[in-house]
Every structure is written in structure tokens, then in C-alpha cells.
């Protein structure tokens, strides 16, 4: 996945790409502009939100599977970016892939595959895919079945797994709004909590990652000062649309985002990973749109408890 990188990144970032992320320079304006240009490639299809609102997808089912994903991340103490990527993969997949009507087990299998891919991409210590099926998992799958589902997800998403997320922009926007001062640990923790909180509310799906990051940065730095919010938005107009950011800020105010969703596992993300988010994106599978229906061989094995109940 790392073999093919965007050539224009090389003009924005100098140095050894194998260095630890902590040694990477702060994002430049040009780098952020490039990520904004690319971010739509890592979003759901335009009609996905409408399908959720219209009931074509079961909101309760999505909420239930997100709760399970959060439990897995809490159990293994995965980082916030891993959690965000897992949900990003899930929503992007559902926006282009038609699941079978009898899909209770397919949603569970999809969630396991998404968490497994995100963990392999983001975490240092990664459990076996079959071990992700912690206590309370409704269905149980063999390792080979999970691996095959992972391939379905990878192909469907065109192998674009290093998604651009609000975490790619948040430190840059906070620094921009805060008079070029680097965000404190407490500020970054609040921002991280808010970003994770946007996962559960489907209304945030209409916003781009950069717009969510800008709104969160404004919320944690400016608080509720109206004049300060307008001034903060004006400093970011070159990067984001004013109206969309203001709408997102208002939505954050109305929502209870600082909830327990993922809060137990949150920690401040490392220094900027935005360059890697773009540079690590491979387009080697752009011509392969992937399958559009589940392989008939993906068969779920129910847990013993389910079998007893039947």
C-alpha cells in the first residue's frame, strides 16, 4: 500500500519518510490545502446520509454496531484514530455496498473486518482478528471468514485506507485560531473527545473532515463567545467554507458530544499525521471498484448460546 504515493507530496515534505511521526514538521498551508483537495475521496457517497434519514438503513442497527466497535476499542485500549477509521470504513462501505436483506450476521462480520483493518493500520500491538470477538459479540466467525471479509472491504474501498480525518487537521486549525500557539494537552484531549463524539450523530456525515476539525477547533478554543467564533471562522476561510463550519459549530453546541462514547480509551493523538494520511494512500486499485454483493462463501458460525436458543 505504501509503494505508490502522490508525487506532489514530495514537494511539500522533505526528509526521511521512515522517521517517527513525532519528528515530522507541522503541516504547511500547502499541505493542508492538498489534504482538503483529497479528503472527499475518503467520504461516503452523497446519498448515504439521505438513505439513513429515510430509513433505507436501520439507524438502530448502525448505533448498535457502533456501540460494539467502541467496546472492542475500549477492551484493547486502541487509540482514537483507530476508532475513527473503523467507523469511517464501515460507513463508506455501507454507502456503496448492497448487503443481503438477512444481514444481522453480515453487519457483525463487517464491523469485525473494519476494526481489524484499522487496528493493523494504526496500532502497534494488534490482536488476532478472531480475538476481536470479545464477550457479548452476537456471532462468532472463523479467522478465514474474517480475512475474506477484510479483502472485500479493501477492494470495495479501492485500498484507500489511510483516510483523511478531522485528526489530520485539528492541531493545524487550533494553532491557526490560537495565535500560532501549539495546543495544550488538555485542549487536544477535549478536541479528541469532540471528534469521536461526531461519529455517532449521522448529521455530521454531511460535513467534510476539514469542516468538522475547524468547528471542533473553534469550539474548544473560543468556547461560546459569538464575536470570537466569527473571528475564528474568518481566519480559516481560505481553507474551509464559512457557512458549513458555522453550521457544524452550532450542531456541536446542540449535541451532547462529550459523552461516554469512546471516552474511556481516548488519548491525545501524536503530532501531525496529515502528510502520511495522504502519502500513504495507494491508488493501485482505482480501476477495481470491488464486489457489490457478499461472497456466498462468507458463512457465519453462531455462538453456542445462539444455537442453544434456537
Amino acid at each position: 500500500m505504501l509503494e505508490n504515493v502522490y508525487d506532489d507530496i514530495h514537494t511539500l515534505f522533505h526528509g526521511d519518510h521512515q522517521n517517527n511521526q513525532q519528528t515530522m514538521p507541522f503541516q504547511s498551508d500547502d499541505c493542508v490545502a492538498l489534504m482538503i483537495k483529497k479528503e472527499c475521496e475518503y467520504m461516503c457517497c452523497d446519498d448515504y446520509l439521505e438513505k439513513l434519514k429515510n430509513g433505507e438503513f436501520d439507524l438502530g442497527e448502525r448505533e448498535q454496531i457502533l456501540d460494539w466497535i467502541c467496546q472492542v476499542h475500549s477492551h484493547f485500549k486502541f487509540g482514537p484514530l483507530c476508532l475513527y477509521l473503523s467507523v469511517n470504513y464501515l460507513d463508506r462501505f455501507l454507502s456503496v455496498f448492497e448487503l443481503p436483506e438477512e444481514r444481522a450476521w453480515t453487519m457483525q462480520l463487517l464491523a469485525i473486518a473494519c476494526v481489524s483493518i484499522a487496528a493493523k493500520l494504526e496500532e502497534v500491538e494488534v490482536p488476532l482478528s478472531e480475538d476481536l470477538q470479545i464477550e457479548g459479540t452476537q456471532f462468532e466467525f472463523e479467522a478465514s471468514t474474517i480475512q475474506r471479509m477484510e479483502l472485500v472491504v479493501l477492494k470495495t474501498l479501492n485500498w484507500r485506507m489511510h483516510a483523511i480525518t478531522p485528526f489530520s487537521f485539528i492541531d493545524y486549525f487550533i494553532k491557526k485560531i490560537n495565535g500560532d500557539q501549539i495546543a495544550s494537552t488538555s485542549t487536544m484531549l477535549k478536541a479528541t473527545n469532540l471528534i469521536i463524539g461526531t461519529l455517532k450523530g449521522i448529521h455530521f456525515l454531511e460535513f467534510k473532515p476539514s469542516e468538522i476539525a475547524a468547528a471542533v477547533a473553534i469550539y474548544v478554543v473560543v468556547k461560546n463567545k459569538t464575536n470570537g467564533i466569527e473571528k475564528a471562522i474568518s481566519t480559516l476561510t481560505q481553507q474551509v467554507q464559512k457557512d458549513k463550519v458555522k453550521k457544524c459549530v452550532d450542531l456541536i453546541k446542540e449535541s451532547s458530544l462529550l459523552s461516554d462514547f469512546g471516552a474511556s480509551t481516548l488519548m491525545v493523538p501524536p503530532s501531525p499525521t496529515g502528510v502520511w494520511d495522504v502519502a500513504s494512500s495507494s491508488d493501485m486499485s482505482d480501476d477495481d471498484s470491488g464486489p457489490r454483493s457478499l461472497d456466498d462463501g462468507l458463512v457465519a458460525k453462531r455462538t453456542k448460546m445462539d444455537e442453544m436458543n434456537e
Side-chain angles (χ1 to χ4, degrees):
M1 292 174 66
L2 298 177
E3 288 179 359
N4 299 325
V5 297
Y6 293 112
D7 293 335
D8 43 8
I9 282 294
H10 296 160
T11 65
L12 301 176
F13 177 70
H14 302 283
D16 184 2
H17 281 212
Q18 300 300 320
N19 287 343
N20 185 280
Q21 291 178 354
Q22 297 288 352
T23 66
M24 292 177 66
F26 197 83
Q27 296 109 309
S28 66
D29 292 342
D30 289 339
C31 180
V32 170
L34 178 60
M35 289 193 294
I36 289 175
K37 181 180 178 182
K38 301 287 186 183
E39 65 182 339
C40 290
E41 298 175 7
Y42 306 95
M43 295 177 62
C44 303
C45 291
D46 294 337
D47 62 345
Y48 180 60
L49 178 57
E50 286 302 316
K51 288 181 178 179
L52 286 171
K53 290 180 178 179
N54 295 335
E56 293 184 44
F57 291 118
D58 188 342
L59 285 178
E61 187 177 18
R62 179 182 180 271
E63 183 175 346
Q64 184 179 9
I65 211 68
L66 260 60
D67 284 340
W68 178 86
I69 289 175
C70 183
Q71 290 172 17
V72 173
H73 279 72
S74 177
H75 180 84
F76 291 103
K77 295 181 171 58
F78 292 155
L81 182 54
C82 183
L83 175 57
Y84 199 97
L85 287 175
S86 300
V87 180
N88 174 269
Y89 300 160
L90 180 81
D91 282 327
R92 284 166 59 197
F93 184 91
L94 291 175
S95 73
V96 297
F97 196 105
E98 185 177 353
L99 289 173
E101 293 183 5
E102 298 295 332
R103 62 179 186 173
W105 65 267
T106 61
M107 281 291 288
Q108 183 74 71
L109 179 58
L110 172 61
I112 295 171
C114 291
V115 172
S116 180
I117 295 171
K120 290 172 182 175
L121 200 66
E122 207 39 52
E123 300 297 327
V124 176
E125 296 183 4
V126 183
L128 297 174
S129 56
E130 59 267 33
D131 291 340
L132 294 173
Q133 302 172 102
I134 60 174
E135 183 179 355
T137 303
Q138 186 177 3
F139 301 94
E140 184 181 347
F141 304 92
E142 296 178 350
S144 59
T145 302
I146 297 172
Q147 290 168 4
R148 292 173 68 182
M149 189 65 203
E150 287 180 32
L151 287 174
V152 173
V153 172
L154 290 167
K155 291 191 68 177
T156 301
L157 301 185
N158 291 325
W159 297 83
R160 294 184 180 275
M161 315 311 291
H162 279 272
I164 295 174
T165 73
F167 291 115
S168 307
F169 303 98
I170 188 62
D171 43 6
Y172 172 87
F173 285 147
I174 289 178
K175 186 172 183 284
K176 193 97 171 173
I177 295 169
N178 207 23
D180 286 336
Q181 293 183 10
I182 297 176
S184 65
T185 300
S186 61
T187 298
M188 284 302 298
L189 184 58
K190 291 177 183 177
T192 300
N193 277 325
L194 284 172
I195 290 172
I196 292 300
T198 63
L199 290 173
K200 219 170 186 182
I202 63 169
H203 297 292
F204 288 98
L205 289 171
E206 73 171 276
F207 301 105
K208 299 176 181 178
S210 59
E211 293 167 348
I212 293 176
V216 167
I218 291 169
Y219 189 85
V220 298
V221 173
V222 182
K223 306 294 189 246
N224 294 322
K225 301 175 183 177
T226 304
N227 294 336
I229 291 176
E230 292 291 337
K231 183 179 179 181
I233 293 177
S234 66
T235 64
L236 304 178
T237 51
Q238 291 185 346
Q239 287 88 9
V240 292
Q241 294 183 23
K242 179 179 179 180
D243 293 340
K244 292 297 291 289
V245 173
K246 191 175 186 306
K247 182 179 180 181
C248 192
V249 171
D250 292 339
L251 190 57
I252 290 174
K253 288 181 180 179
E254 296 169 3
S255 307
S256 300
L257 298 185
L258 292 175
S259 63
D260 294 332
F261 182 62
S264 61
T265 60
L266 296 188
M267 51 189 176
V268 178
S271 109
T273 59
V275 175
W276 282 108
D277 289 339
V278 181
S280 300
S281 303
S282 170
D283 54 3
M284 63 183 179
S285 301
D286 284 351
D287 295 331
D288 186 355
S289 60
R292 286 296 175 269
S293 62
L294 279 177
D295 185 338
D296 292 336
L298 291 177
V299 180
K301 182 177 69 175
R302 293 182 181 273
T303 61
K304 292 182 180 179
M305 182 62 71
D306 290 331
E307 293 173 348
M308 290 175 64
N309 289 337
E310 291 178 353

